[in-house]
Amino acid sequence: MMHRLASVFLAVLMAVAVVGYVVGILDGVPQPDGMRPTALIAKFDQETVDTNPKLIPAVSYAEIASTPMGPTKAWQSLPQALPQPEYDLYTKIEPSKEEKEASSKLRASRRAFNGAPPFIPHPVENTSDAACYACHGKGVKIAGLTASVMSHQFLGQCVQCHAPMAPAPFQDIDASVDSSFIGLPAPKEGIRAYQGAPPTIPHSRWMRENCNACHGGPNGWSGMESTHPWRTNCVQCHAPSATLDQMPVPEVVPMLSPLDVVTN
Amino acid sequence: MMDPKRRSFMKSTAMAAAGSMVAGATSLPVIQADQEVKDLSEVDGLNWHKAPCRFCGTGCHVQVGVEAGRVVAIAGDKAADVNKGLLCVKGYHVGGILYGNDRLTKPLLRKDGRLTEISWDEAIEIVAKRIFESPETFAFYGSGQWTIPEGYAAQKLMKGGLANNHIDPNARLCMASAVTGFLATYGVDEPAGCYQDLDECDVLITWGNNPAEMHPVLFSRVTDRRSRGETVRIIDIGTRRTRTTDAATDYLEMQPHGDVAIALGIMHLLIASDNYDKSFVEKHCNFRGPEETTPTLQGEQISEDEFRQRIARYTPQLVEELSGVPADSIRMLAELFGNREIRITSLWCMGMNQHTMGTAINSLVHGVHLLSGHFGRPGDAPTSLTGQPSACGTVREVGTLAHALPGGRVVTKPEHRQQSEGFWNVPAGRINEVPGYHTVKMFEQFTKPTAEGGDITTMFVQVTNPGQTLPNLNKLFNAKEGLDDKFLIVSDVYPTATTQLADLILPAAMWVEKNGMFGNSERRTQQWFKMVDPPGDARDDCWMTIAIAHKLFEMGHAGMKDKDGKFIFAINADDGKEIPIWEFEHYYDTNVDKHLFEEYRQFTTMKHKNLAPYEEYVKARGLRWPVVEQEDGSWRETRYRFSAFDDPFVKKGQEFEFYHSSSEDGRAQIWFHEYAPPPEMPDQEYPLWLCTGRVLEHWHSGTMTRRLAPLNRAMPTAYVEMNPEDASAANIRQGELVTIESRRGVCELPVWIDGRGRPPRGTIFVPFFDETKLINNCTLEAHDPFSKQPDYKKCAARVVKQTVAKKTKVKS
Amino acid sequence: MPISGLVVTFNSSTDQHTAAIESLREIPEIDIGDAHGSKMAIVVDSPTQRRDQEIWNTVRELPGVIDLAVAMIAFDEIVALDEDDEPAENDPIRKQ
């Protein structure tokens, strides 16, 4: 019984397939009639491509190398979340002196002097600020790489201050310069009034308002993390520098004159 | 105690370890990952001083970190009103410009074709002798990067000393049309508004302007308002898509010269729809058109009816035809201008200035703002930007132009000459009444053989690089080669395209290696002090001018003496004795800048461009003129000119007053100019528009920025930007080396398809910063009839694939 | 009595710093080694750690010197601080 039913089903299936094939041939499949161009030489209907975000315009082989390939516009517009490792605020972090030093050396290699906006260590397409922000807004870890967190408020035009690597067509050009400029090195640590006292902030806070960008959070700068990231108000304990923050600094801190005590 | 054997073993091991590190090392780059990281306490020797940035005309202030006599760090100056603590990628790295290893450090004289080191005494004597022998064939080519005292000294040497008006600056190539536009419209040069307009405008229109790359600090001042939740509509009118377009709400792509038609079209619609500001126009404006036979900047007054009749032709349809911008977009612009509830700021720079109709388009855009009443309120302003740090301060205000005298005066007016002779205390009649040669003419006369009438034989170039930045270089610069009686003196900080043909090279001090003052795009005068020593024998440009003058004085040149027989640059010490400032070791015995500035200040009140005493600028992050002394002895700067609410010179009871009006009735002029096509347009032979310009990372001819590692790495080469379809049609690939050809010359460049900007089909763009790829071999020297400023933005060119060219050569 | 191999880095090629190198030669504890580009190897053999520190500071201060790096230190006989190395009066950390 089962056998019979199976062969009937198979026969019906085959019939449908044959009908489908014939209909398929007759319905809209281009015929080599010599009048219509084949798909290979047809020009794209740019309008259709523009209006249907799921269509990707094909390019000639010669253009493949120079054509950006990637997700379709429809896919791009979907919010995507990259899986991120879980972050535990209370994991014990105690970077050693060497780790701290190695970390600041790597950090220093990314800027011309302490205080300079860091270079962008990768080439950038002419992408929008939103593209930068996607990774650098809150930071992200992908394939062993960390996109660092913006240490300042959102500002338009990232490349106004951050110099990228050479544009894609010119990456092989020797861009070395012959210069004797030596930049200000990064500070190693703040000043502690006594052992156990919270250190002062040894750098300017200008454009570094977000302490967590380097000193905490899941995407902080490795080796510079705070040992106590659960505390949220950093300047409660760590004093900034008026000089480095370009506050008005008087030569002498003015004080009231001493009490006028009569001595006998 | 270690035994001696062990000790010597340890020593040799230590030496081997150190030696191996030495052998492996190449030259030391800027901060390396392996470099020492210092404590804060060790960097306590760091001192911070204020200075304006060395680069563009925005006029940001930086804080310069100096340690042990070297600049080691730069920070945005939070006290500066212009940039409020922010900088751009060039500004952050400006400190490195002092430290390229190829700084010029010795005067070099070309002897039998080879450069030889000579002493400063010899160098100054050579220059002075050349001038002494033939003062009238000497020309001084200066710069919008001259400090104010440098420009003033050069101006005085030429016009007040040598009675020679052949002094012109590179700013002629940069903002001369902005000057003529202001003069034609307001009767006085320089903008009425200020950068505060950028904080208050509802609509920002960029006319052929890419501030996102060229004036990034100003542009981000607008776009950052959006981050704070404000709405600003940015309308980009341009010939190619740029980073400014990326931030723009509307992009109107126009044909080259389309801006003239667009401005006329807006005015036509404002009038046709009766939507212009009748009360403002009635009270404060006249209508004006060029004279028929010999047009001048003065023009002739026309009635409003006449203006209506002339402009009636510029319907949205015709404007669409001329500019390529859809008629509906022209209507949209006219409706915006017709709405007086909103504030509109126009920004422009080289797009409208490097234009054979530069004066016309500048006047027309001012006209659009005047006609619509979008003028004189914060946020309502026609704003012209400048490309050099002191194009305004030194060129326009000091008047280092072939026809000008300081403080808005001209050599052709007898009373202006008389006043200048008075301030300079030189005999009456000293100043020559005939204007000298403007830049293009000056170089034509210099590169033309003397026998053929080339009557400039000695040229002194300071703080600029004409060998790279003049248009049509083959004709205007390279032709100098081989002309034995022509002598080119170049003062610069690095070897450049110009020093290649120099007969005498003078090593100059730069930026914070000397005292200085700049004047930026918004009338702001800025001051800084010398912070570090220049390298080797490099010396101040201002000193060079004074030393040459004194050598001429010693040789007995009568012009170097004032009415009382004293040296024209004489400075006396408190004890009455003259300080020998022409000897470099005594140059800093006094503040020469301060003396020159105080003398120059007297000139500035005639055009109400009043400047404060030097000491006021020491205290401030720049002050915008007119700076007027108050009853309490303080000095007040002016943000808005001609508007009663802020300008102290507007008559009481008036809302606006154009008190330097060319019609002498307190009114501004709304001009009419007919559209005319560009002088050279693409044709069969040269089918592409060639546009030139800049990129964010490099400044002008790249002499400074190409010596900064972060910038050079970000933009290592000039390139030709192509539309992908043009490239594909010519079978050209990304990065391929091609030859750009025009009727005047060629230039080899790698192709960047859809590069930094995206040009439409039929247009290519090339930045001019790269001294190894001189696109100005190809550009056109055609210039505006009033401003004499050449058009670098449009000429006809073609792109030639090199493999094809080479193959053809092999076959033939 | 520390022995250390150090690398001196100048801000430009060593042959432009003859004066600084001459003053290095005048320090008896220093032996001068190979030079290449802007770097030069030296060995310091000093009687006390205090003297070692002085030499280090002197070299660091020489005109044109932008970096001084340690290549190797002979740890054999690093003794305690010299006798006169009493904790400074105003150093709160050391006083504890």
Side-chain angles (χ1 to χ4, degrees):
Chain A
M1 187 65 183
M2 277 307 276
H3 261 284
R4 233 187 112 203
L5 267 182
S7 59
V8 167
F9 177 74
L10 209 63
V12 171
L13 198 71
M14 282 166 72
V16 169
V18 171
V19 170
Y21 176 63
V22 175
V23 170
I25 284 181
L26 298 178
D27 185 24
V29 174
Q31 299 296 305
D33 58 1
M35 301 294 286
R36 298 172 61 182
T38 73
L40 279 177
I41 58 163
K43 271 214 85 90
F44 286 111
D45 183 353
Q46 193 59 39
E47 246 171 63
T48 323
V49 175
D50 287 343
T51 51
N52 184 350
K54 290 196 167 180
L55 286 181
I56 307 171
V59 292
S60 68
Y61 282 115
E63 289 165 327
I64 284 177
S66 60
T67 307
M69 302 279 181
T72 60
K73 283 213 174 94
W75 175 263
Q76 282 173 341
S77 65
L78 291 175
Q80 305 292 324
L82 285 162
Q84 290 293 298
E86 258 180 50
Y87 174 64
D88 177 9
L89 209 54
Y90 298 99
T91 312
K92 192 170 177 184
I93 298 171
E94 268 180 12
S96 69
K97 210 173 169 219
E98 291 69 40
E99 279 172 331
K100 278 187 190 169
E101 203 157 306
S103 153
S104 18
K105 281 175 182 171
L106 177 63
R107 197 179 156 281
S109 72
R110 299 269 169 85
R111 56 205 81 210
F113 55 88
N114 182 43
F119 324 136
I120 304 173
H122 54 81
V124 294
E125 297 289 326
N126 280 322
T127 41
S128 63
D129 294 335
C132 305
Y133 201 64
C135 292
H136 294 284
K138 288 181 176 162
V140 71
K141 285 197 170 75
I142 318 164
L145 296 171
T146 306
S148 45
V149 187
M150 262 165 56
S151 60
H152 51 74
Q153 56 167 329
F154 179 81
L155 294 166
Q157 268 238 77
C158 309
V159 287
Q160 172 180 326
C161 300
H162 300 279
M165 294 292 116
F170 311 128
Q171 273 166 21
D172 298 335
I173 293 174
D174 176 19
S176 57
V177 302
D178 189 13
S179 169
S180 65
F181 176 72
I182 301 150
L184 180 69
K188 197 152 63 176
E189 57 194 6
I191 299 162
R192 287 180 201 262
Y194 52 87
Q195 206 163 22
T200 58
I201 300 174
H203 57 74
S204 144
R205 282 191 310 140
W206 175 230
M207 302 300 257
R208 293 171 181 175
E209 296 92 354
N210 177 10
C211 307
N212 270 337
C214 298
H215 298 294
N219 299 311
W221 186 270
S222 161
M224 271 192 199
E225 301 104 322
S226 159
T227 54
H228 44 279
W230 59 87
R231 294 201 197 276
T232 50
N233 186 4
C234 309
V235 286
Q236 176 185 331
C237 301
H238 300 281
S241 152
T243 315
L244 292 172
D245 284 345
Q246 295 184 35
M247 306 276 289
V249 189
E251 299 253 326
V252 183
V253 180
M255 305 293 267
L256 292 176
S257 43
L259 284 180
D260 189 14
V261 180
V262 181
T263 48
N264 292 322
Chain B
M1 189 76 198
M2 201 189 282
D3 72 71
K5 252 190 183 169
R6 173 85 182 139
R7 162 154 249 120
S8 95
F9 169 70
M10 287 312 296
K11 281 179 84 168
S12 60
T13 315
M15 185 61 90
S20 71
M21 272 174 73
V22 167
T26 50
S27 67
L28 185 76
V30 180
I31 286 201
Q32 277 295 304
D34 66 357
Q35 215 173 316
E36 187 191 6
V37 182
K38 276 192 188 175
D39 292 333
L40 182 69
S41 56
E42 284 185 54
V43 300
D44 262 354
L46 187 67
N47 288 306
W48 294 92
H49 309 279
K50 66 144 190 175
C53 176
R54 174 65 181 77
F55 298 120
C56 78
T58 301
C60 298
H61 262 88
V62 298
Q63 284 283 323
V64 184
V66 179
E67 188 184 36
R70 287 173 64 91
V71 174
V72 295
I74 297 292
D77 192 331
K78 288 168 85 174
D81 181 54
V82 171
N83 52 308
K84 300 173 170 47
L86 199 66
L87 293 173
C88 78
V89 70
K90 293 184 296 297
Y92 280 114
H93 296 102
V94 64
I97 59 176
L98 308 180
Y99 299 110
N101 280 338
D102 54 344
R103 274 292 292 270
L104 296 168
T105 55
K106 293 262 185 242
L108 300 170
L109 178 69
R110 202 175 292 278
K111 288 180 186 162
D112 307 322
R114 301 195 51 195
L115 291 169
T116 357
E117 287 184 5
I118 59 168
S119 71
W120 267 109
D121 286 347
E122 282 176 85
I124 295 296
E125 191 161 341
I126 290 167
V127 180
K129 264 192 182 155
R130 294 250 357 157
I131 300 173
F132 192 81
E133 278 159 16
S134 180
E136 66 286 350
T137 64
F138 172 66
F140 207 150
Y141 185 62
S143 171
Q145 299 158 63
W146 256 340
T147 67
I148 291 171
E150 281 166 1
Y152 179 74
Q155 170 84 315
K156 189 175 179 184
L157 167 72
M158 293 297 285
K159 293 181 182 142
L162 297 172
N164 173 341
N165 292 337
H166 297 317
I167 172 171
D168 218 39
N170 63 2
R172 176 76 73 180
L173 313 172
C174 168
M175 35 97 288
S177 301
V179 176
T180 47
F182 279 113
L183 286 172
T185 305
Y186 309 102
V188 63
D189 179 29
E190 300 211 27
C194 65
Y195 295 158
Q196 192 185 334
D197 292 318
L198 301 171
D199 304 334
E200 311 219 5
C201 63
D202 302 298
V203 177
L204 181 77
I205 305 180
T206 54
W207 297 77
N209 185 210
N210 179 12
E213 289 203 66
M214 309 324 157
H215 298 85
V217 167
L218 296 182
F219 194 63
S220 66
R221 204 161 149 168
V222 178
T223 51
D224 287 347
R225 286 173 58 199
R226 287 176 166 174
S227 318
R228 294 195 294 266
E230 293 180 49
T231 311
V232 193
R233 183 167 179 179
I234 300 176
I235 301 174
D236 181 29
I237 306 176
T239 57
R240 69 190 243 277
R241 285 176 169 272
T242 64
R243 281 187 174 165
T244 301
T245 320
D246 293 344
T249 327
D250 310 75
Y251 171 55
L252 311 183
E253 191 165 276
M254 64 166 187
Q255 290 289 325
H257 260 208
D259 42 9
V260 178
I262 294 168
L264 286 165
I266 297 170
M267 287 204 273
H268 160 73
L269 282 174
L270 284 171
I271 285 186
S273 61
D274 214 27
N275 204 12
Y276 65 100
D277 190 336
K278 290 182 206 72
S279 132
F280 185 87
V281 171
E282 204 169 285
K283 284 191 219 150
H284 307 297
C285 304
N286 291 319
F287 292 94
R288 210 155 268 265
E291 302 91 333
E292 257 187 42
T293 43
T294 45
T296 67
L297 274 188
Q298 184 71 22
E300 56 190 13
Q301 191 150 334
I302 54 176
S303 67
E304 190 175 332
D305 277 343
E306 174 71 22
F307 185 82
R308 280 167 179 269
Q309 278 170 25
R310 290 196 198 177
I311 211 155
R313 194 162 89 79
Y314 291 92
T315 60
Q317 291 73 25
L318 178 72
V319 173
E320 175 170 341
E321 214 173 284
L322 295 174
S323 69
V325 173
D328 278 346
S329 301
I330 307 298
R331 290 192 192 96
M332 176 270 286
L333 288 171
E335 267 166 40
L336 281 176
F337 274 102
N339 180 357
R340 258 160 303 284
E341 299 303 306
I342 56 170
R343 309 277 170 116
I344 305 178
T345 293
S346 285
L347 280 189
W348 69 90
C349 198
M350 291 309 114
M352 267 169 50
N353 293 350
Q354 294 178 339
H355 197 304
T356 49
M357 291 187 73
T359 307
I361 182 61
N362 269 271
S363 310
L364 290 173
V365 172
H366 288 300
V368 168
H369 277 267
L370 292 168
L371 189 66
S372 62
H374 284 284
F375 183 91
R377 304 183 297 182
D380 264 338
T383 301
S384 154
L385 299 171
T386 47
Q388 299 188 84
S390 201
C392 289
T394 306
V395 172
R396 294 157 73 162
E397 294 159 28
V398 178
T400 51
L401 294 143
H403 66 281
L405 287 165
R409 294 171 176 81
V410 289
V411 296
T412 45
K413 282 198 180 160
E415 68 271 24
H416 288 180
R417 292 198 302 274
Q418 210 180 346
Q419 288 156 1
S420 304
E421 284 158 357
F423 291 134
W424 284 334
N425 192 35
V426 295
R430 170 72 63 80
I431 299 170
N432 188 339
E433 62 183 346
V434 185
Y437 292 142
H438 60 80
T439 299
V440 171
K441 185 78 182 158
M442 187 187 277
F443 278 91
E444 261 176 22
Q445 295 302 98
F446 182 62
T447 52
K448 196 192 283 181
T450 316
E452 292 168 30
D455 59 3
I456 296 296
T457 54
T458 303
M459 182 172 315
F460 188 9
V461 175
Q462 268 189 345
V463 213
T464 183
N465 187 5
Q468 182 164 350
T469 55
L470 284 170
N472 196 357
L473 283 169
N474 291 326
K475 175 180 167 189
L476 293 182
F477 188 75
N478 302 345
K480 186 260 166 195
E481 201 164 8
L483 299 180
D484 289 339
D485 61 335
K486 305 278 180 160
F487 196 77
L488 180 62
I489 307 152
V490 180
S491 152
D492 214 322
V493 295
Y494 289 110
T496 64
T498 309
T499 58
Q500 289 197 313
L501 289 193
D503 299 288
L504 178 62
I505 299 173
L506 304 177
M510 77 191 294
W511 196 44
V512 296
E513 292 166 354
K514 61 188 182 186
N515 289 342
M517 299 186 88
F518 280 158
N520 83 345
S521 291
E522 58 161 358
R523 296 177 275 111
R524 186 185 291 275
T525 313
Q526 306 153 311
Q527 176 276 348
W528 75 92
F529 285 122
K530 174 178 171 168
M531 301 170 201
V532 298
D533 284 325
D537 285 341
R539 293 182 180 181
D540 302 37
D541 286 290
C542 195
W543 172 83
M544 295 180 206
T545 303
I546 292 171
I548 291 164
H550 197 264
K551 186 59 75 177
L552 285 164
F553 176 82
E554 287 167 19
M555 293 162 98
H557 192 289
M560 297 302 124
K561 290 180 186 149
D562 68 7
K563 267 202 292 210
D564 309 323
K566 289 202 318 220
F567 179 43
I568 53 170
F569 291 107
I571 296 177
N572 291 342
D574 292 339
D575 61 6
K577 267 199 197 154
E578 192 174 357
I579 305 168
I581 53 169
W582 54 90
E583 291 166 13
F584 192 63
E585 51 279 24
H586 292 290
Y587 186 67
Y588 277 94
D589 286 0
T590 180
N591 185 342
V592 176
D593 264 32
K594 183 178 169 179
H595 287 283
L596 290 171
F597 183 77
E598 291 297 339
E599 183 182 307
Y600 159 59
R601 261 184 74 206
Q602 311 170 79
F603 284 86
T604 59
T605 52
M606 182 188 85
K607 289 279 187 183
H608 300 91
K609 297 182 176 183
N610 305 32
L611 297 173
Y614 185 84
E615 293 305 331
E616 294 300 314
Y617 296 98
V618 174
K619 290 184 261 173
R621 303 289 190 269
L623 293 169
R624 285 165 287 194
W625 57 254
V627 191
V628 181
E629 189 169 16
Q630 304 296 292
E631 278 175 10
D632 63 358
S634 65
W635 293 82
R636 178 189 179 277
E637 61 170 344
T638 305
R639 291 169 303 139
Y640 291 91
R641 264 196 125 187
F642 309 133
S643 298
F645 76 91
D646 197 47
D647 186 340
F649 294 119
V650 172
K651 251 191 238 104
K652 290 275 173 300
Q654 294 263 38
E655 199 187 345
F656 296 99
E657 192 197 358
F658 298 99
Y659 42 77
H660 287 295
S661 166
S662 52
S663 46
E664 288 169 3
D665 52 4
R667 288 158 180 268
Q669 320 298 329
I670 300 176
W671 277 77
F672 173 80
H673 282 277
E674 287 286 359
Y675 170 87
E680 186 182 73
M681 288 166 75
D683 52 22
Q684 290 245 300
E685 216 182 333
Y686 296 92
L688 299 170
W689 282 112
L690 166 64
C691 180
T692 70
R694 283 188 40 216
V695 290
L696 172 64
E697 291 84 358
H698 287 294
W699 193 72
H700 287 191
S701 65
T703 311
M704 294 180 283
T705 48
R706 272 164 51 86
R707 285 170 173 87
L708 302 177
L711 302 184
N712 210 39
R713 184 170 47 211
M715 189 52 78
T717 174
Y719 55 85
V720 53
E721 207 171 84
M722 280 188 90
N723 181 285
E725 288 182 52
D726 284 334
S728 144
N731 191 22
I732 286 169
R733 283 166 298 116
Q734 186 74 292
E736 179 175 336
L737 199 66
V738 295
T739 309
I740 309 297
E741 296 181 358
S742 80
R743 291 191 171 81
R744 294 154 293 279
V746 299
C747 177
E748 278 191 3
L749 290 154
V751 171
W752 191 3
I753 297 167
D754 262 359
R756 179 61 66 78
R758 278 146 294 158
R761 279 213 76 164
T763 296
I764 54 174
F765 172 86
V766 179
F768 74 95
F769 70 82
D770 191 336
E771 65 193 14
T772 64
K773 302 175 183 71
L774 296 176
I775 191 59
N776 281 326
N777 289 336
C778 301
T779 49
L780 188 67
E781 81 268 32
H783 49 71
D784 179 88
F786 305 104
S787 70
K788 320 293 182 197
Q789 178 169 0
D791 190 332
Y792 293 85
K793 297 292 186 187
K794 43 189 115 51
C795 69
R798 63 185 172 211
V799 176
V800 181
K801 206 174 152 65
Q802 293 209 331
T803 46
V804 173
K806 274 173 198 156
K807 265 185 196 161
T808 331
K809 260 188 192 166
V810 174
K811 272 181 194 167
S812 63
Chain C
M1 294 194 175
I3 295 169
S4 50
L6 306 177
V7 177
V8 188
T9 308
F10 291 93
N11 59 14
S12 56
S13 179
T14 47
D15 49 33
Q16 290 175 24
H17 295 278
T18 44
I21 293 166
E22 208 40 55
S23 40
L24 280 177
R25 280 189 211 288
E26 279 166 29
I27 302 173
E29 290 91 340
I30 291 183
D31 288 351
I32 290 180
D34 288 345
H36 191 277
S38 60
K39 299 199 175 196
M40 196 176 77
I42 58 170
V43 166
V44 180
D45 178 3
S46 60
T48 66
Q49 205 165 341
R50 166 61 60 93
R51 176 66 187 148
D52 197 41
Q53 186 64 42
E54 278 171 21
I55 293 171
W56 174 277
N57 289 342
T58 313
V59 176
R60 204 67 194 80
E61 295 304 316
L62 284 177
V65 172
I66 53 168
D67 193 20
L68 183 57
V70 178
M72 193 204 119
I73 292 182
F75 285 102
D76 272 23
E77 250 193 306
I78 301 260
V79 284
L81 297 164
D82 303 54
E83 279 163 14
D84 56 347
D85 266 341
E86 282 300 314
E89 283 297 312
N90 55 357
D91 191 338
I93 299 172
R94 282 186 165 189
K95 267 195 147 176
Q96 281 180 346

